[in-house]
Amino acid sequence: SPHPRSSSTMGIDLVAGGRRVGHKTRTAPVSDNVYLKLLVKLYSFLARRTESKFCKTICKRLYMSKVNKPPISVSKVARYMQPQEGKGKTAVIVGTVTDDIRLTELPALRVCALRFTEGARARIVKAGGECLTFDQLALESPKGTNCVLLRGSMNREALKHFGHRCTVKNLHTHDHVKPYVRSKGRKFEKARGRRRSTGFKV
């Protein structure tokens, strides 16, 4: 006779650590910047006591590395704050705000950021706007009311050189990846390892 089917459900292998992802999520900034650590202290307190998602997000972004805090230009901030939803609100950027000479007219903006470049700060103030720090923002709107969280683009030029994950359609991780050479031609990176006829091809 066939064995009776077991009613027990499959569990998690706790010895191997289960299925928990996020082992490398930061719980504090790696940077030794004392001002950054003070902001972390402030926003971790606000996140805990107010249960505000805004404060939790700010706190999480303050922990991030420099690569994950990309800069954003004043033109992009202006574009996001131009629609009716952005009127009378404060743009909040956990990173640097940079100038953009291609933008001829800048509207009056209220921007809170970790850092402003000299040109960006001068332009925002000249246009009748305001540059805030995060401690000023915490006093003004501790829960992030009338604030719009913005981020710069993560698409760095360096990413073009990195390999991609292997798929059924694209087997080789280095296919169509930008080489670290002065030009892409017959004489550059085309020998062993890049030709099927010579050694191998990646």
Side-chain angles (χ1 to χ4, degrees):
S1 66
H3 295 289
R5 188 172 285 180
S6 175
S7 59
S8 63
T9 54
M10 188 179 260
I12 298 168
D13 184 4
L14 293 174
V15 177
R19 287 296 178 98
R20 195 179 83 81
V21 291
H23 290 276
K24 290 184 178 178
T25 49
R26 287 187 177 186
T27 52
V30 175
S31 169
D32 290 325
N33 190 325
V34 286
Y35 301 108
L36 185 68
K37 285 184 175 180
L38 282 169
L39 285 181
V40 166
K41 216 171 192 179
L42 169 65
Y43 274 91
S44 58
F45 171 79
L46 286 173
R48 193 177 75 249
R49 294 298 293 269
T50 61
E51 292 182 0
S52 159
K53 271 191 175 180
F54 174 82
C55 293
K56 279 179 185 168
T57 308
I58 293 285
C59 204
K60 188 174 74 176
R61 289 186 190 180
L62 286 170
Y63 296 156
M64 288 180 179
S65 60
K66 193 177 177 181
V67 162
N68 293 316
K69 287 191 295 222
I72 189 168
S73 65
V74 284
S75 57
K76 197 154 270 192
V77 173
R79 196 189 311 161
Y80 286 127
M81 301 305 284
Q82 272 301 89
Q84 204 59 43
E85 299 89 53
K87 288 278 166 69
K89 291 188 178 181
T90 308
V92 181
I93 299 105
V94 184
T96 308
V97 175
T98 57
D99 193 11
D100 191 352
I101 55 167
R102 296 168 298 182
L103 188 72
T104 51
E105 283 183 31
L106 185 72
L109 299 166
R110 288 194 89 234
V111 188
C112 171
L114 278 181
R115 200 176 140 263
F116 294 88
T117 61
E118 209 175 315
R121 189 185 290 276
R123 280 194 76 178
I124 291 166
V125 172
K126 193 180 177 183
E130 207 177 337
C131 297
L132 300 171
T133 57
F134 275 96
D135 49 343
Q136 286 173 319
L137 184 76
L139 288 168
E140 210 172 271
S141 54
K143 286 188 177 182
T145 46
N146 287 330
C147 289
V148 180
L149 260 174
L150 300 176
R151 269 203 280 201
S153 174
M154 296 283 247
N155 293 327
R156 300 181 292 139
E157 198 278 333
L159 298 177
K160 292 177 183 177
H161 300 281
F162 300 166
H164 50 76
R165 66 197 176 98
C166 299
T167 59
V168 176
K169 289 182 179 178
N170 204 343
L171 291 173
H172 303 289
T173 187
H174 287 103
D175 274 3
H176 312 297
V177 172
K178 194 175 183 179
Y180 287 110
V181 286
R182 67 179 184 270
S183 68
K184 189 170 161 56
R186 177 184 58 82
K187 298 187 285 185
F188 305 97
E189 289 189 8
K190 289 285 186 285
R192 182 179 176 277
R194 297 299 293 168
R195 282 212 301 260
R196 298 203 194 286
S197 60
T198 316
F200 63 99
K201 168 87 169 73
V202 291

